[in-house]
Amino acid sequence: MYISTRDNYPSMSASEVIKLGMVPAGGLFVPAEIPVLSGEEILARQGGDYQETANWLLSLFLPDFTSAEISTCVGQAYNEENFAHPQIAPLNHFDEHIYFLELWHGPTAAFKDLALQLMPHLLSRALFKTHTEQETVILVATSGDTGKAALEGFKNVQGIKIIVFYPQGGVSKVQALQMTTTDGANTYVVAVKGNFDDCQNAVKAVFADSDLSSALAKKGYALSSANSINWGRLLPQVVYYFQSYLTLIAQGAVSPGEKINFVVPTGNFGNILAGWYAYRMGLPVHKLICASNENKILTEFFHTGSYDLHREFKQTSSPSMDILVSSNLERFLFEKTGRDAAKINRWMADLQAKGCFAVDTGTLKSIENILAAGYATEEETLKAINEVFTGHAYLLDTHTAVGYRVYQKYRQQTGDQTKTVINATANPFKFSRSVLKAIQGQDFLQGTDEFSILQALSAASRVAVHPALCDLQVKEVLHHTVCEKEEIGQEIKKILQCDF
Ligand SMILES: *Cc1c(COP(=O)(O)O)cnc(C)c1O
C-alpha cells in the first residue's frame, strides 16, 4: 500500500496511486514499506537483462499487478523498436573511476523515456483494475524532456488525453520542435509565458482545486499526472540503478558487495530519489551526488539545511534542470525525518507562505550520510564538454556535463576513489547549439537554423544525429497555442470544452 507524505489521505493500492498521480489533498504518495533485499538476493540477479531486472523490481512494488501483467508492460516498453540499444541503458567505461550510464537511447533521446515508455501501460492497467470509466486527462508540466517523452508514451492511448505545458523560450529549439510536431488525436501542447516553476505550480493548483475536479468529473474526466510526482514515473527509474550495478558486477569491474557512487544531474529530484530508493532497498551505494546547474538551490539546501526560493531563476544551457521547486524533495525529507508528516506539513506550508523553510540538524545529518551535492557554472559546463570531447572523443550533453564537472570537484575535495556511475541524462544532439559552441570554443553559427546546427555538430564530432531527431525538419508544427501563466486552468477547460 501507499501513504501520503502529509498523512492526509487513506492508504491506497499501487493502481489507485498511479491513477491519481498525486495526493488530491496535497502531498505525494510513497510506499508504506520499502522492500529490503539481501546482498545474496541482489547478486543472484546477475546476468539478467534489463527486462528481467524490471520485472523483478516492479513486482516488489506492484502487488496488485500479476507477474504476467508486469512482464507484458515491460515487454511493450523496453524493446528494440523503442530503444536503439539492446541493453536499453548501456554503460560506457570512461576511465579508471567513471562509467557513463547512457539513458538516452529511447525514442525522445532523454532519460525520461525509461519511465515514460512504461508508465502509460501501467496506467492503462491501473484504470482497468480500478474500474475507471472516466476519460483520464494527463496534465504535464515540463522543463523540456518530460513533455515529449510523455506525448510519445501516451499518444493515441485509448481513454486518455494528454496536455503538456512548457515554458516558452525556456527549452531548447529541438525540445520545442519535438513537442509541437507531435501528432496523435489526443495530444495538446501549450507554450506558457513563464518558467517551469510557473507551469508546475499551475498544474499542482489544478490538482488541488476540488471545484474544478468535480466539474471535470461531471463531464466524465479524471485528472492524472505524468510528472515525477506520480509514483508510476519514479518506480521504473529504480531499475537502471540496479541494472548498472549488476552489469559492473558481471564485468568484474566491482566485486560483490563493493559500494559505488551515482552522480545525478538533478532538477525535480526525481531521478536521484529513484537512486535513493535503490540504496534503501539494499543496493551497495557509497554516495549519491546531486549535481545542479546555476539554479543551485538544492546544493545550498544540502549544505545549509535551508531551502530558499528568494533568488533569480536562471536560464541555462541545461534547461531541463532549470527548476527551483524540486517536488520530490518532499518524499526524501519524509524518509529522512523518520516519516514525520507533521514536519513535512510545516515545511511545505512555510515554503508556500514564505518561500523558504529550514530543516533541523538531525535531518540534515541523516541526509549527509548518503548524499553529496555540488553545482557547475555555465562556463564550467561548456568547458567540461570541450575537455571530454578533446581528451576522450566522447560527446556529453549539457546536463551530463554538469554531472561530470560536479563529480570532478567532489573527487578533488574528498579524494574518494569509489567507482562512479554518472547518469548521462540526454543525448548531446538535443542541445546541439550549446554542445557545438562548447567543442568549437565559440558560437560560429549564430542565426543559423536548428537543422544546420545538428548537421554541423555531427560533422564536427563525427557522431551520427540521434535517430529521434533526424526527421524533425520535415515534420509539420501542429501545436501553436500560447498562454499566460495565469491562464493555464482556463486553457485546460477550453481544451476539454468545459464552459464553466
Ligand atoms: C529531467 C531531466 C533532468 C532532471 O531530472 P529530475 O528527475 O527532474 O531531477 C536532468 N537531465 C535531463 C536531460 C532531463 O531531461
mmCIF file of all heavy atoms in Angstrom, residues 447-474:
data_model
loop_
_atom_site.group_PDB
_atom_site.id
_atom_site.type_symbol
_atom_site.label_atom_id
_atom_site.label_comp_id
_atom_site.label_asym_id
_atom_site.label_seq_id
_atom_site.Cartn_x
_atom_site.Cartn_y
_atom_site.Cartn_z
ATOM 1 N N GLY A 447 22.323 32.661 -35.518
ATOM 2 C CA GLY A 447 21.362 32.946 -36.560
ATOM 3 C C GLY A 447 21.091 31.770 -37.497
ATOM 4 O O GLY A 447 20.202 31.827 -38.316
ATOM 5 N N THR A 448 21.858 30.703 -37.361
ATOM 6 C CA THR A 448 21.637 29.537 -38.230
ATOM 7 C C THR A 448 20.497 28.694 -37.677
ATOM 8 O O THR A 448 20.287 28.641 -36.472
ATOM 9 C CB THR A 448 22.915 28.676 -38.267
ATOM 10 O OG1 THR A 448 24.009 29.548 -38.418
ATOM 11 C CG2 THR A 448 22.880 27.682 -39.394
ATOM 12 N N ASP A 449 19.766 28.005 -38.557
ATOM 13 C CA ASP A 449 18.628 27.224 -38.067
ATOM 14 C C ASP A 449 19.092 25.941 -37.381
ATOM 15 O O ASP A 449 20.228 25.500 -37.539
ATOM 16 C CB ASP A 449 17.661 26.929 -39.217
ATOM 17 C CG ASP A 449 18.272 25.974 -40.211
ATOM 18 O OD1 ASP A 449 18.188 24.759 -40.005
ATOM 19 O OD2 ASP A 449 18.881 26.464 -41.195
ATOM 20 N N GLU A 450 18.174 25.331 -36.649
ATOM 21 C CA GLU A 450 18.494 24.172 -35.813
ATOM 22 C C GLU A 450 19.032 23.000 -36.613
ATOM 23 O O GLU A 450 19.872 22.250 -36.151
ATOM 24 C CB GLU A 450 17.233 23.702 -35.072
ATOM 25 C CG GLU A 450 16.852 24.525 -33.894
ATOM 26 C CD GLU A 450 18.024 25.055 -33.083
ATOM 27 O OE1 GLU A 450 18.686 24.287 -32.385
ATOM 28 O OE2 GLU A 450 18.270 26.262 -33.173
ATOM 29 N N PHE A 451 18.532 22.864 -37.840
ATOM 30 C CA PHE A 451 18.894 21.666 -38.603
ATOM 31 C C PHE A 451 20.318 21.757 -39.116
ATOM 32 O O PHE A 451 21.046 20.774 -39.109
ATOM 33 C CB PHE A 451 17.884 21.449 -39.727
ATOM 34 C CG PHE A 451 16.505 21.451 -39.161
ATOM 35 C CD1 PHE A 451 15.664 22.534 -39.338
ATOM 36 C CD2 PHE A 451 16.087 20.403 -38.356
ATOM 37 C CE1 PHE A 451 14.419 22.555 -38.758
ATOM 38 C CE2 PHE A 451 14.837 20.429 -37.762
ATOM 39 C CZ PHE A 451 13.992 21.506 -37.963
ATOM 40 N N SER A 452 20.732 22.962 -39.493
ATOM 41 C CA SER A 452 22.130 23.142 -39.899
ATOM 42 C C SER A 452 23.033 22.861 -38.699
ATOM 43 O O SER A 452 24.127 22.322 -38.848
ATOM 44 C CB SER A 452 22.381 24.560 -40.385
ATOM 45 O OG SER A 452 21.342 24.981 -41.209
ATOM 46 N N ILE A 453 22.550 23.238 -37.527
ATOM 47 C CA ILE A 453 23.379 23.035 -36.339
ATOM 48 C C ILE A 453 23.513 21.544 -36.021
ATOM 49 O O ILE A 453 24.600 21.065 -35.703
ATOM 50 C CB ILE A 453 22.808 23.822 -35.150
ATOM 51 C CG1 ILE A 453 22.979 25.318 -35.432
ATOM 52 C CG2 ILE A 453 23.491 23.445 -33.849
ATOM 53 C CD1 ILE A 453 22.407 26.210 -34.399
ATOM 54 N N LEU A 454 22.418 20.803 -36.143
ATOM 55 C CA LEU A 454 22.501 19.345 -35.943
ATOM 56 C C LEU A 454 23.550 18.748 -36.885
ATOM 57 O O LEU A 454 24.393 17.959 -36.474
ATOM 58 C CB LEU A 454 21.143 18.686 -36.227
ATOM 59 C CG LEU A 454 20.050 18.780 -35.158
ATOM 60 C CD1 LEU A 454 18.731 18.222 -35.690
ATOM 61 C CD2 LEU A 454 20.455 18.038 -33.906
ATOM 62 N N GLN A 455 23.482 19.162 -38.162
ATOM 63 C CA GLN A 455 24.422 18.629 -39.151
ATOM 64 C C GLN A 455 25.844 19.064 -38.837
ATOM 65 O O GLN A 455 26.781 18.270 -38.934
ATOM 66 C CB GLN A 455 24.039 19.080 -40.570
ATOM 67 C CG GLN A 455 22.685 18.572 -41.067
ATOM 68 C CD GLN A 455 22.458 17.089 -40.785
ATOM 69 O OE1 GLN A 455 23.396 16.294 -40.842
ATOM 70 N NE2 GLN A 455 21.233 16.712 -40.444
ATOM 71 N N ALA A 456 25.989 20.327 -38.438
ATOM 72 C CA ALA A 456 27.333 20.836 -38.140
ATOM 73 C C ALA A 456 27.938 20.104 -36.944
ATOM 74 O O ALA A 456 29.123 19.771 -36.930
ATOM 75 C CB ALA A 456 27.268 22.341 -37.869
ATOM 76 N N LEU A 457 27.108 19.822 -35.940
ATOM 77 C CA LEU A 457 27.613 19.096 -34.771
ATOM 78 C C LEU A 457 28.012 17.676 -35.172
ATOM 79 O O LEU A 457 29.049 17.163 -34.742
ATOM 80 C CB LEU A 457 26.560 19.060 -33.658
ATOM 81 C CG LEU A 457 26.968 18.287 -32.399
ATOM 82 C CD1 LEU A 457 28.237 18.876 -31.767
ATOM 83 C CD2 LEU A 457 25.843 18.271 -31.365
ATOM 84 N N SER A 458 27.205 17.085 -36.010
ATOM 85 C CA SER A 458 27.500 15.729 -36.464
ATOM 86 C C SER A 458 28.820 15.707 -37.235
ATOM 87 O O SER A 458 29.657 14.829 -37.025
ATOM 88 C CB SER A 458 26.351 15.219 -37.331
ATOM 89 O OG SER A 458 26.601 13.903 -37.726
ATOM 90 N N ALA A 459 29.012 16.710 -38.088
ATOM 91 C CA ALA A 459 30.246 16.775 -38.874
ATOM 92 C C ALA A 459 31.449 17.024 -37.965
ATOM 93 O O ALA A 459 32.486 16.367 -38.088
ATOM 94 C CB ALA A 459 30.130 17.878 -39.916
ATOM 95 N N ALA A 460 31.285 17.936 -37.006
ATOM 96 C CA ALA A 460 32.417 18.290 -36.143
ATOM 97 C C ALA A 460 32.772 17.149 -35.194
ATOM 98 O O ALA A 460 33.938 16.956 -34.850
ATOM 99 C CB ALA A 460 32.089 19.552 -35.349
ATOM 100 N N SER A 461 31.780 16.398 -34.759
ATOM 101 C CA SER A 461 32.043 15.375 -33.746
ATOM 102 C C SER A 461 32.185 13.989 -34.357
ATOM 103 O O SER A 461 32.599 13.046 -33.682
ATOM 104 C CB SER A 461 30.892 15.350 -32.737
ATOM 105 O OG SER A 461 29.693 14.934 -33.370
ATOM 106 N N ARG A 462 31.821 13.847 -35.631
ATOM 107 C CA ARG A 462 31.791 12.544 -36.311
ATOM 108 C C ARG A 462 30.927 11.539 -35.564
ATOM 109 O O ARG A 462 31.213 10.373 -35.468
ATOM 110 C CB ARG A 462 33.213 11.965 -36.464
ATOM 111 C CG ARG A 462 34.130 12.942 -37.148
ATOM 112 C CD ARG A 462 35.097 12.256 -38.095
ATOM 113 N NE ARG A 462 35.991 13.241 -38.659
ATOM 114 C CZ ARG A 462 37.304 13.190 -38.525
ATOM 115 N NH1 ARG A 462 37.867 12.187 -37.897
ATOM 116 N NH2 ARG A 462 38.054 14.128 -39.071
ATOM 117 N N VAL A 463 29.842 12.064 -34.982
ATOM 118 C CA VAL A 463 28.856 11.214 -34.329
ATOM 119 C C VAL A 463 27.548 11.409 -35.100
ATOM 120 O O VAL A 463 27.228 12.524 -35.506
ATOM 121 C CB VAL A 463 28.665 11.629 -32.850
ATOM 122 C CG1 VAL A 463 27.550 10.830 -32.195
ATOM 123 C CG2 VAL A 463 29.969 11.459 -32.070
ATOM 124 N N ALA A 464 26.818 10.319 -35.311
ATOM 125 C CA ALA A 464 25.562 10.435 -36.066
ATOM 126 C C ALA A 464 24.498 11.119 -35.219
ATOM 127 O O ALA A 464 24.458 10.949 -34.001
ATOM 128 C CB ALA A 464 25.088 9.051 -36.485
ATOM 129 N N VAL A 465 23.634 11.885 -35.878
ATOM 130 C CA VAL A 465 22.496 12.513 -35.194
ATOM 131 C C VAL A 465 21.606 11.400 -34.641
ATOM 132 O O VAL A 465 21.381 10.393 -35.315
ATOM 133 C CB VAL A 465 21.690 13.393 -36.185
ATOM 134 C CG1 VAL A 465 20.488 14.024 -35.503
ATOM 135 C CG2 VAL A 465 22.580 14.471 -36.794
ATOM 136 N N HIS A 466 21.114 11.580 -33.411
ATOM 137 C CA HIS A 466 20.210 10.588 -32.800
ATOM 138 C C HIS A 466 19.006 10.364 -33.723
ATOM 139 O O HIS A 466 18.420 11.342 -34.211
ATOM 140 C CB HIS A 466 19.751 11.115 -31.435
ATOM 141 C CG HIS A 466 19.006 10.104 -30.607
ATOM 142 N ND1 HIS A 466 17.737 9.690 -30.910
ATOM 143 C CD2 HIS A 466 19.355 9.437 -29.477
ATOM 144 C CE1 HIS A 466 17.334 8.807 -29.996
ATOM 145 N NE2 HIS A 466 18.302 8.630 -29.112
ATOM 146 N N PRO A 467 18.640 9.106 -33.980
ATOM 147 C CA PRO A 467 17.560 8.827 -34.937
ATOM 148 C C PRO A 467 16.260 9.586 -34.630
ATOM 149 O O PRO A 467 15.535 9.980 -35.554
ATOM 150 C CB PRO A 467 17.346 7.311 -34.831
ATOM 151 C CG PRO A 467 18.217 6.831 -33.722
ATOM 152 C CD PRO A 467 19.240 7.872 -33.455
ATOM 153 N N ALA A 468 15.995 9.827 -33.344
ATOM 154 C CA ALA A 468 14.736 10.502 -32.971
ATOM 155 C C ALA A 468 14.714 11.960 -33.436
ATOM 156 O O ALA A 468 13.661 12.585 -33.482
ATOM 157 C CB ALA A 468 14.544 10.444 -31.466
ATOM 158 N N LEU A 469 15.883 12.508 -33.768
ATOM 159 C CA LEU A 469 15.946 13.932 -34.098
ATOM 160 C C LEU A 469 16.128 14.177 -35.590
ATOM 161 O O LEU A 469 16.108 15.312 -36.051
ATOM 162 C CB LEU A 469 17.096 14.585 -33.322
ATOM 163 C CG LEU A 469 17.095 14.314 -31.812
ATOM 164 C CD1 LEU A 469 18.339 14.886 -31.155
ATOM 165 C CD2 LEU A 469 15.842 14.870 -31.159
ATOM 166 N N CYS A 470 16.308 13.088 -36.355
ATOM 167 C CA CYS A 470 16.624 13.227 -37.777
ATOM 168 C C CYS A 470 15.478 13.814 -38.596
ATOM 169 O O CYS A 470 15.702 14.575 -39.524
ATOM 170 C CB CYS A 470 16.979 11.872 -38.371
ATOM 171 S SG CYS A 470 18.598 11.329 -37.854
ATOM 172 N N ASP A 471 14.248 13.448 -38.277
ATOM 173 C CA ASP A 471 13.150 13.828 -39.163
ATOM 174 C C ASP A 471 12.390 15.074 -38.688
ATOM 175 O O ASP A 471 11.362 15.427 -39.235
ATOM 176 C CB ASP A 471 12.176 12.655 -39.327
ATOM 177 C CG ASP A 471 11.564 12.244 -38.005
ATOM 178 O OD1 ASP A 471 12.058 12.712 -36.960
ATOM 179 O OD2 ASP A 471 10.597 11.459 -38.017
ATOM 180 N N LEU A 472 12.937 15.762 -37.687
ATOM 181 C CA LEU A 472 12.246 16.946 -37.155
ATOM 182 C C LEU A 472 12.001 17.987 -38.246
ATOM 183 O O LEU A 472 10.984 18.666 -38.278
ATOM 184 C CB LEU A 472 13.084 17.590 -36.055
ATOM 185 C CG LEU A 472 12.880 17.082 -34.631
ATOM 186 C CD1 LEU A 472 13.717 17.911 -33.686
ATOM 187 C CD2 LEU A 472 11.406 17.123 -34.253
ATOM 188 N N GLN A 473 12.963 18.092 -39.151
ATOM 189 C CA GLN A 473 12.928 19.126 -40.172
ATOM 190 C C GLN A 473 11.731 18.993 -41.097
ATOM 191 O O GLN A 473 11.177 19.987 -41.560
ATOM 192 C CB GLN A 473 14.218 19.030 -40.999
ATOM 193 C CG GLN A 473 14.373 20.140 -41.980
ATOM 194 C CD GLN A 473 15.790 20.211 -42.516
ATOM 195 O OE1 GLN A 473 16.593 19.303 -42.314
ATOM 196 N NE2 GLN A 473 16.101 21.292 -43.198
ATOM 197 N N VAL A 474 11.355 17.753 -41.375
ATOM 198 C CA VAL A 474 10.273 17.550 -42.346
ATOM 199 C C VAL A 474 8.903 17.467 -41.679
ATOM 200 O O VAL A 474 7.885 17.391 -42.344
ATOM 201 C CB VAL A 474 10.506 16.274 -43.189
ATOM 202 C CG1 VAL A 474 11.732 16.464 -44.067
ATOM 203 C CG2 VAL A 474 10.662 15.046 -42.310
#
